[in-house]
Amino acid sequence: MTLKEILDALVAQPDGMAWRGTIPDGWLQGRTSFGGLSAAIALHCAIRSEPDLPPLRSAQVSFIGPLAGPIQVVTHKLRRGKNAAFIQADVESEAGLGLRCTFVFMRAIESEIDHEHTPAPDFPKPGPDDTTFKGNPHVAFTRNFEFLDRREGPSLKPAEWLRWTRLNEREGLDPMVELIAIADCLPPAALRILGRNVPMSSLTWILNILGPVPATEDGWWLLRSDADYARAGSSSQVMGVWNAAGEKVAEQMQSVAVFG
């Protein structure tokens, strides 16, 4: 199933604040849902739970437990004021609560501050002569994406990872839902230090949107992740997302457990 098919298959409950659906096996990361999919489902339902929301500005995501198979999404309006709305979305499966998100939607307001310092990494968008890869046969969810990685080079830090990413099927998606699904597509950057795969689990994820509506060319988004701390099985990493024009569209931070 494509991401849009998963979202279209969600069934709203009579109260309009809950939905039922399914995490297909093709979107699993180990024994749980790919985090970008879980967050995309939560955002999709949050948007539909409250009319006339302003643009998404921030998402705070907690990966609490495994999600697979049948799921239920429950949303709750925490507060809506003049400028901003806070919507909580919980995703549960048979194993219990798997994901809790707090989404902040905020309208643009006038400000004297107009500042931006978001230089893009020197890694051009994939061209016709570049060889991209479409998924890892050992990681189910990756088959839904196309990638081009840069893991080596004199300009890269020891725990820095760059990846151009796009969804195989992206027609008809809300731009914010597409972005949040894409933004979690890099493995933990600390794995660059190990040089091999080990079990790992994202714990929390903060994503801040830098602008009203994200847009790019040919579906390509550039992801960057850099772990500036990894010790005793805990890693903290800062991340970013740029569009094909070199404009930064999101800043992120994740806490990751690394079992190796």
Side-chain angles (χ1 to χ4, degrees):
M1 296 177 71
T2 67
L3 174 55
K4 188 173 188 303
E5 288 171 341
I6 294 170
L7 299 178
D8 288 346
L10 291 167
V11 178
Q13 302 305 290
D15 63 1
M17 304 297 286
W19 288 259
R20 293 190 180 275
T22 302
I23 303 290
D25 289 347
W27 282 86
L28 294 180
Q29 184 175 16
R31 65 191 182 100
T32 190
S33 168
F34 162 56
L37 172 65
S38 304
I41 291 172
L43 176 59
H44 175 85
C45 295
I47 291 171
R48 278 150 184 77
S49 71
E50 179 73 10
D52 302 321
L53 284 168
L56 179 68
R57 183 61 57 189
S58 183
Q60 302 167 46
V61 183
S62 294
F63 298 101
I64 297 167
L67 286 172
I71 58 167
Q72 176 175 268
V73 186
V74 179
T75 63
H76 179 62
K77 180 172 67 176
L78 302 177
R79 183 181 184 276
R80 183 159 191 177
K82 178 182 177 182
N83 297 315
F86 290 73
I87 309 290
Q88 178 178 297
D90 290 346
V91 186
E92 305 175 357
S93 67
E94 292 181 357
L97 180 61
L99 186 87
R100 171 164 288 175
C101 300
T102 301
F103 297 109
V104 184
F105 302 86
M106 180 176 169
R107 71 176 183 89
I109 58 177
E110 289 193 17
S111 173
E112 295 181 16
I113 302 171
D114 188 356
H115 169 76
E116 180 176 352
H117 180 67
T118 55
D122 184 16
F123 187 18
K125 180 174 75 75
D129 297 328
D130 289 311
T131 301
T132 59
F133 67 98
K134 295 188 176 182
N136 182 332
H138 305 294
V139 185
F141 88 88
T142 63
R143 300 169 205 160
N144 299 286
F145 298 89
E146 185 176 2
F147 305 115
L148 181 65
D149 280 9
R150 176 176 288 175
R151 309 184 200 181
E152 307 295 340
S155 63
L156 290 185
K157 300 176 184 178
E160 184 180 7
W161 199 320
L162 299 175
R163 168 175 284 181
W164 282 99
T165 306
R166 67 178 174 184
L167 275 162
N168 296 339
E169 301 290 340
R170 54 192 178 274
E171 293 298 323
L173 290 173
D174 181 290
M176 291 294 186
V177 172
E178 177 187 354
L179 180 65
I180 206 167
I182 286 281
D184 191 35
C185 267
L186 266 175
L191 295 184
R192 285 260 291 113
I193 298 172
L194 283 174
R196 68 182 191 279
N197 290 325
V198 298
M200 43 77 180
S201 178
S202 296
L203 302 175
T204 60
W205 173 26
I206 298 173
L207 178 144
N208 293 327
I209 305 295
L210 309 182
V213 180
T216 193
E217 181 183 348
D218 297 330
W220 284 113
W221 304 91
L222 175 58
L223 311 181
R224 174 186 176 269
S225 183
D226 180 26
D228 47 18
Y229 176 94
R231 183 171 294 147
S234 177
S235 175
S236 178
Q237 60 186 40
V238 292
M239 306 151 69
V241 185
W242 288 262
N243 65 15
E247 300 165 332
K248 198 172 191 180
V249 297
E251 291 183 337
Q252 310 178 80
M253 189 172 188
Q254 269 195 8
S255 175
V256 182
V258 181
F259 303 97

